Amino acid sequence: MSDLNKYLLYSTLLSIFTEAFFVTYGVDLKLFYIVLIVNFTIILAFYEVKISTNHVLVLFFLFLNGLWGMTKGSTSFYSFIAQFIGICIVSLYYYSFFRVQKVKVEKIFQIYLRISFYLSIYGVFNFIYGKYILNNYLYRLQSIMLEPAHFVTIIMPAFYYYLASSIEKRKLSSLLHLLVLTSAIVLGNSSLGYIGVLCSLVLLIKKINIKNLVMVAALSIMVFVGFYKLSPEFQMRLDDSLSVVKKIEFKGHNLSTFALFSNIYIAEINLSNNPVFGGGLGSHVIAYYENIKTLPGVKSSLDYVNHIGLNAKDANSLLIRIISELGLLWIILIIYFIYKCSVKYSLISRAIITYFVMKLLREGHYFPPEMYFFVFLYYFNYLQNKKKEEALTEL
């Protein structure tokens, strides 16, 4: 592998963990964007780049969706074009990155695993320093990321891989790596992390039968009860969420619950105007400020009035934002992509599904540093395994 290939490989994988590295001068100047621009320039200059027809079609239909929203007046040109350009540039870079790589998907994934492991070790030591030496009792593990939820989301595929490897291959090294990543997830004390662990346990089922279902269900219930009892924050969020569902009103609930359900409320309004295509790319934040004061309980609570706009830009969840802006059609297409490109006996494929689940549940940013890395890693893992199967068939 040439030095140029090594640079592209390692700089790209390291960049997926760089969300916290930015400066603000009117707009956020992120390290990830600098790496992307430099690397994309190198790829265009030194490699032959081919664009996938399916990729172009996806971007074309996103463009049509934005035009649809503008003609309806539910989105603006600026809101639409800012999202569309970001999606185009970042997704095209990652597609090109995987196309020009000289190493197999397994090698790329192994490098990702090592980075996740080392950053988890750093996170654990940083947690000990922050909580017990600086006496910051509110400190939660987030390693080099902005939030614990963001860190556990990115390392969850690594957690699943080491969990499955420990069980299937019974490797001592996998078990040691699993202990480190488990510690990082627990010390992050993120509700999303706990959901990711439960998702990982479900994905351990390879063959659906009564024995496996009962075993995983029992283990999942034990883990869930453990998280609920040991994490006051997880307990509070779950209790408040159930209370909102029961009463259909906000009164005295925590701000995380307010952010989640207020954006669900806006998505429902946006979607009701057109369930198939949604309000158009970039429309959620516009619908939010037009309708948020009609949310039951907002006007009667000064706490909520002061926090209007919480997660309005990203809808607090990629799933909520896609439903709101792109409609049910895109949810169907995403589910189809995950199903179609899954590789039945691939640990990599199942590991990345944990990321998809967590990403859809939280943070609706369309082009964060890591998302298209996992999307195209999943896709190229499918293509690589498809080629292997075709080669065996020919024999």
Side-chain angles (χ1 to χ4, degrees):
M1 185 167 53
S2 69
D3 290 340
L4 196 57
N5 268 318
K6 284 183 180 178
Y7 163 75
L8 288 174
L9 180 59
Y10 284 95
S11 63
T12 298
L13 267 72
L14 287 169
S15 73
I16 72 175
F17 293 92
T18 60
E19 67 161 15
F21 297 87
F22 68 92
V23 292
T24 302
Y25 292 103
V27 295
D28 290 341
L29 301 175
K30 299 183 179 182
L31 176 60
F32 169 65
Y33 295 155
I34 297 173
V35 173
L36 184 148
I37 292 168
V38 171
N39 288 10
F40 213 166
T41 302
I42 290 172
I43 289 174
L44 293 173
F46 294 99
Y47 296 87
E48 182 182 353
V49 179
K50 295 179 181 179
I51 304 300
S52 163
T53 303
N54 290 334
H55 193 171
V56 172
L57 281 174
V58 169
L59 295 177
F60 176 69
F61 285 119
L62 271 179
F63 183 78
L64 290 181
N65 175 272
L67 291 181
W68 154 264
M70 285 192 292
T71 57
K72 283 181 56 187
S74 55
T75 190
S76 67
F77 175 77
Y78 175 77
S79 294
F80 155 63
I81 207 68
Q83 300 305 313
F84 182 72
I85 290 174
I87 293 169
C88 284
I89 294 173
V90 179
S91 67
L92 287 170
Y93 170 70
Y94 275 112
Y95 178 80
S96 302
F97 164 76
F98 279 99
R99 281 298 298 262
V100 304
Q101 278 307 307
K102 304 299 182 183
V103 297
K104 293 183 177 180
V105 165
E106 289 86 355
K107 172 68 174 178
I108 297 173
F109 191 73
Q110 287 298 321
I111 296 170
Y112 153 76
L113 290 176
R114 290 203 300 272
I115 296 171
S116 297
F117 174 67
Y118 292 136
L119 289 181
S120 294
I121 292 176
Y122 168 78
V124 170
F125 280 104
N126 203 39
F127 173 86
I128 294 169
Y129 177 76
K131 191 149 189 172
Y132 298 106
I133 297 179
L134 297 181
N135 294 318
N136 182 359
Y137 294 102
L138 295 176
Y139 190 84
R140 294 157 60 200
L141 186 147
Q142 62 192 57
S143 191
I144 62 171
M145 305 294 284
L146 289 174
E147 293 182 24
H150 294 176
F151 183 64
V152 297
T153 297
I154 296 182
I155 67 167
M156 194 55 65
F159 168 81
Y160 173 83
Y161 182 87
Y162 288 126
L163 174 65
S165 294
S166 299
I167 296 170
E168 295 177 12
K169 301 176 182 178
R170 299 182 181 180
K171 286 184 177 180
L172 180 60
S173 60
S174 292
L175 182 59
L176 292 174
H177 283 77
L178 176 63
L179 289 173
V180 171
L181 267 76
T182 302
S183 300
I185 292 167
V186 171
L187 296 177
N189 194 21
S190 165
S191 301
L192 190 63
Y194 303 148
I195 292 171
V197 171
L198 293 174
C199 177
S200 297
L201 293 175
V202 172
L203 286 170
L204 288 175
I205 301 176
K206 280 187 176 180
K207 188 176 180 181
I208 298 178
N209 55 44
I210 298 297
K211 179 184 175 182
N212 287 342
L213 288 174
V214 169
M215 184 173 64
V216 171
L219 184 58
S220 298
I221 291 169
M222 290 171 59
V223 172
F224 175 82
V225 172
F227 287 151
Y228 184 81
K229 293 293 185 182
L230 296 174
S231 173
E233 185 179 71
F234 179 60
Q235 186 179 116
M236 174 188 66
R237 290 183 177 182
L238 181 61
D239 290 347
D240 281 359
S241 296
L242 293 174
S243 174
V244 169
V245 171
K246 184 178 179 180
K247 297 178 182 177
I248 320 295
E249 185 178 12
F250 291 90
K251 215 168 189 179
H253 300 110
N254 70 86
L255 292 177
S256 293
T257 300
F258 170 70
L260 173 62
F261 282 93
S262 61
N263 280 289
I264 290 175
Y265 176 77
I266 299 304
E268 184 182 355
I269 293 173
N270 215 18
L271 188 66
S272 64
N273 296 322
N274 196 299
V276 178
F277 301 112
L281 192 63
S283 64
H284 183 85
V285 67
I286 296 171
Y288 184 99
Y289 286 106
E290 288 177 353
N291 298 284
I292 188 61
K293 290 189 178 179
T294 64
L295 180 68
V298 167
K299 288 185 178 179
S300 63
S301 174
L302 184 61
D303 225 13
Y304 295 143
V305 169
N306 290 339
H307 289 90
I308 282 178
L310 198 61
N311 292 107
K313 290 183 179 180
D314 71 354
N316 194 65
S317 155
L318 187 60
L319 179 62
I320 295 172
R321 189 173 186 184
I322 290 171
I323 290 173
S324 178
E325 297 188 350
L326 306 179
L328 298 177
L329 175 62
W330 280 85
I331 295 299
I332 295 170
L333 292 174
I334 289 169
I335 293 171
Y336 175 75
F337 167 77
I338 294 173
Y339 170 76
K340 177 68 177 176
C341 296
S342 64
V343 180
K344 191 173 183 180
Y345 296 109
S346 170
L347 285 184
I348 294 175
S349 182
R350 295 202 302 278
I352 297 171
I353 288 174
T354 65
Y355 170 82
F356 289 156
V357 171
M358 295 176 71
K359 181 61 186 174
L360 286 167
L361 290 177
R362 180 71 190 273
E363 198 218 356
H365 186 17
Y366 284 130
F367 43 94
E370 85 291 342
M371 189 171 79
Y372 293 104
F373 167 78
F374 286 114
V375 167
F376 288 111
L377 183 65
Y378 188 76
Y379 177 66
F380 278 87
N381 183 57
Y382 160 73
L383 291 182
Q384 184 175 290
N385 280 274
K386 187 179 177 182
K387 286 181 180 179
K388 286 180 184 177
E389 290 176 1
E390 290 172 352
L392 290 172
T393 303
E394 289 174 3
L395 292 173

